[in-house]
Amino acid sequence: MRIIEGDACVAEGAHWLKANHKPFAKIIPLIEPLPLRLRPDGFGQLLSAIMSQQVSVASARAISGRLEEAGLLEEDAVAEASEEELRACGLSRQKIRYAGELARARIDYEGLRNADSETVVKTLTAVPGIGRWTAEIYAMFSLGHADVFAPNDLALQIAAQHAFDLPERPTEKELRALAENWSPWRAVAARALFAYYHHIKGREGLS
């Protein structure tokens, strides 16, 4: 299993994609160098992902700030926190439940660092509040897996539609099938499409 550890890995994947797929040969020169986008792993990262669901970036940051001030960013602290304490930080009833479920799940985060992508996804999606998209993004950017993709992401769907001249925005199933062609560098393809989305999002008619 290939792990992306630095910019050289991303550059290698970008070179392979350009050499093997014409659409990437067209779009990657517009957006190089591709971003590394690696982030920390562990409980805090997943808690942040849950807190960010269905709220604005500003709201998510405000909630995270309150949790930090209250000392509620660690697994043990969240597991022992009362509903009132979590509500005071701005969490909805549903997110209070999800945060508690995540804390009580006692995921072996160190063990996940050596697990394959499907094991990571299966482990994380067993926790209420964590869907496949969150699990795939975690494998891609927190664990550095080189051959994982998140086809349910709206930005990736829009970027793929434009890059591959598709008549309509692909569904999750359609994009997952298309992404199979980009193995073993699907996570680099995702980085390219994320960057391309930002490149084109100002164009008239983009939806």
Side-chain angles (χ1 to χ4, degrees):
M1 182 177 64
R2 183 69 183 267
I3 299 297
I4 293 174
E5 298 177 335
D7 292 325
C9 298
V10 176
E12 180 183 347
H15 177 78
W16 184 90
L17 289 167
K18 287 189 293 184
N20 290 278
H21 299 282
K22 289 183 179 180
F24 285 111
K26 178 182 177 181
I27 71 169
I28 288 178
L30 301 175
I31 50 179
E32 286 182 308
L34 299 184
L36 182 58
R37 292 188 65 157
L38 292 182
R39 58 184 68 159
D41 68 335
F43 173 79
Q45 190 64 38
L46 287 173
L47 180 64
S48 177
I50 290 174
M51 296 306 102
S52 300
Q53 292 172 3
Q54 299 179 324
V55 299
S56 67
V57 173
S59 294
R61 287 175 178 167
I63 292 170
S64 294
R66 295 189 198 107
L67 288 169
E68 184 175 8
E69 289 176 5
L72 294 174
L73 292 180
E74 299 296 328
E75 197 171 46
D76 289 341
V78 173
E80 296 170 3
S82 68
E83 184 173 329
E84 290 72 23
E85 288 175 304
L86 293 170
R87 186 182 296 113
C89 295
L91 276 68
S92 66
R93 179 176 296 178
Q94 184 181 59
K95 289 188 178 180
I96 290 171
R97 175 184 168 235
Y98 290 163
E101 293 277 9
L102 176 64
R104 290 187 291 272
R106 301 297 178 180
I107 294 171
D108 179 6
Y109 295 103
E110 185 173 348
L112 284 186
R113 293 173 185 170
N114 299 312
D116 61 79
S117 297
E118 279 307 309
T119 299
V120 171
V121 170
K122 183 178 180 180
T123 300
L124 297 185
T125 55
V127 180
I130 299 180
R132 189 172 181 91
W133 177 87
T134 298
E136 288 171 333
I137 291 293
Y138 183 88
M140 193 184 309
F141 296 127
S142 290
L143 298 179
H145 290 197
D147 198 26
V148 64
F149 196 75
N152 197 36
D153 190 279
L154 180 61
L156 292 179
Q157 293 173 358
I158 292 172
Q161 178 185 0
H162 284 256
F164 286 79
D165 294 322
L166 303 176
E168 297 180 346
R169 178 164 56 87
T171 64
E172 177 183 2
K173 182 178 180 180
E174 291 167 342
L175 188 52
R176 190 176 296 279
L178 181 61
E180 291 288 339
N181 299 310
W182 311 330
S183 180
W185 291 108
R186 282 178 286 183
V188 176
R191 286 167 168 80
L193 290 172
F194 275 130
Y196 187 57
Y197 171 78
H198 289 291
H199 176 76
I200 65 174
K201 70 177 182 178
R203 290 182 182 177
E204 184 177 357
L206 181 62
S207 58

